Amino acid sequence: MSLKLEELNADNLQAAVSLSLKPGQEKYVAPVVHSIAQAYVTPTAWPRVILDQDQVVGFIMGNFDPENEIEAFRAGIWRLNVSGEDQGRGVGKFAVQALADEARSRGAERITVLWVPGEDGPEKFYLKCGFVPTGEILFGETVGVLKL
Ligand SMILES: CC(C)(COP(=O)(O)OP(=O)(O)OC[C@H]1O[C@@H](n2cnc3c(N)ncnc32)[C@H](O)[C@@H]1OP(=O)(O)O)[C@@H](O)C(=O)NCCC(=O)NCCS
């Protein structure tokens, strides 16, 4: 595998918005097109396409908003979608680490993520990546934090 993040552009947009998950996972993350629309109106959003060689295999969106009154929204993962076909190959973990590197370069000491609880949801993945639940629930979602 040769993984990298890339900014959205005219060449990768179509593949990014066409990403599909495994059946039943749609309740855990918004469609990529929705996230891109949110990024368009959110200056602090950090949307990136995940490529393996030159193939789009996923999408991650961070939010870096150090002044946000809610601590969980100051630096963290807002969205993460890995194509159903490419799950289980380390794509998600790579994207989390790349976002953590970006956060570190901006001076953050921790990143957060909110996930929808559920047996087939992303909780085990985030725990595997080192996130620790803070005990907080925001908008019905579990808050996890990763110290950098
Ligand atoms: C959750 C998601 C991003 C994980 O991406 P992925 O590329 O499949 O994960 P990786 O292959 O990088 O897995 C990293 C580690 O987590 C583990 N892991 C991943 N999903 C897991 C699961 N459902 N249950 C248990 N362990 C899991 C892997 O075994 C791997 O462990 P290892 O480091 O010991 O090898 C992906 O499944 C996805 O897009 N899900 C649907 C959307 C979603 O829920 N997004 C999160 C929104 S907050």
Side-chain angles (χ1 to χ4, degrees):
M1 282 212 293
S2 173
L3 294 167
K4 64 175 180 185
L5 297 189
E6 188 174 77
E7 289 189 38
L8 281 159
N9 59 46
D11 291 331
N12 63 32
L13 180 68
Q14 189 54 44
V17 299
S18 304
L19 276 174
S20 59
L21 304 169
K22 289 187 178 167
Q25 291 181 327
E26 296 80 8
K27 59 180 178 282
Y28 294 106
V29 71
V32 173
V33 70
H34 186 123
S35 298
I36 294 173
Q38 284 178 307
Y40 187 74
V41 296
T42 310
T44 54
W46 190 79
R48 292 291 184 274
V49 171
I50 311 167
L51 297 177
D52 180 13
Q53 315 284 1
D54 284 328
Q55 294 292 319
V56 173
V57 292
F59 171 82
I60 188 165
M61 188 156 93
N63 190 40
F64 298 111
D65 184 12
E67 309 300 326
N68 198 300
E69 62 189 44
I70 301 177
E71 190 176 1
F73 296 154
R74 291 181 190 157
I77 299 168
W78 190 356
R79 298 279 157 65
L80 175 57
N81 312 50
V82 174
S83 153
E85 290 174 4
D86 293 291
Q87 291 182 18
R89 298 168 56 224
V91 173
K93 197 171 186 177
F94 162 80
V96 167
Q97 285 166 354
L99 189 142
D101 289 345
E102 175 68 21
R104 230 178 258 113
S105 76
R106 291 167 180 253
E109 291 176 356
R110 42 190 259 155
I111 56 172
T112 48
V113 66
L114 273 61
W115 67 77
V116 177
E119 190 46 42
D120 53 350
E123 178 166 284
K124 291 185 183 121
F125 163 74
Y126 284 123
L127 297 179
K128 210 54 196 274
C129 287
F131 284 87
V132 176
T134 63
E136 245 177 312
I137 302 288
L138 273 178
F139 309 111
E141 299 191 20
T142 305
V143 181
V145 64
L146 177 69
K147 288 196 181 147
L148 301 177

